[in-house]
Amino acid sequence: MFGSVKNYIQDQIALVKLEGIEAVGRVASKLIFILLIGIFIMFFILLASFAAGFYLGELYGRYVGFLIVAGIYLLLMILFFIFKAPIQNMLMNIAVASAMADNSDKKEEE
């Protein structure tokens, strides 16, 4: 009797460890994916900014094009600071919804 209870407890402990490892793996894979997408988006924005700067430089003068692009980024930064709380809430809602979807997907598999 005690042997089977002991084995059951050990199996439950092993199961919890494996579920923890799976959860950490899922989170790590999502973070790596998001990081890679972020890197690609940053390279795209960087190259598009250079292209826009050179194009606007051809239209308005040598350095004016890059100043216009910098002004656009400054305007975006100011807007992000003004709307900081709504943006944070939106991102938090997306993260929670994603986590809940993963949790419900996992329950459906069982």
Side-chain angles (χ1 to χ4, degrees), residues 8-100:
Y8 176 76
I9 292 173
Q10 289 175 345
D11 289 343
Q12 290 298 316
I13 291 171
L15 179 62
V16 168
K17 286 180 183 178
L18 289 174
E19 287 176 347
I21 291 171
E22 179 187 10
V24 168
R26 244 185 292 115
V27 169
S29 68
K30 279 189 175 190
L31 288 176
I32 290 170
F33 178 77
I34 290 170
L35 180 69
L36 288 174
I37 294 297
I39 289 171
F40 289 132
I41 289 172
M42 284 178 24
F43 276 123
F44 173 78
I45 290 172
L46 176 71
L47 294 175
S49 296
F50 277 123
F54 282 119
Y55 177 73
L56 293 172
E58 290 287 324
L59 293 177
Y60 298 112
R62 190 169 181 179
Y63 298 107
V64 176
F66 287 99
L67 289 175
I68 292 171
V69 172
I72 291 170
Y73 282 122
L74 179 64
L75 179 65
L76 286 173
M77 185 177 64
I78 290 169
L79 288 173
F80 274 109
F81 280 126
I82 291 172
F83 298 109
K84 179 181 176 183
I87 291 171
Q88 286 178 334
N89 288 336
M90 180 188 67
L91 293 175
M92 185 173 49
N93 289 337
I94 290 170
V96 169
S98 175
M100 296 302 286

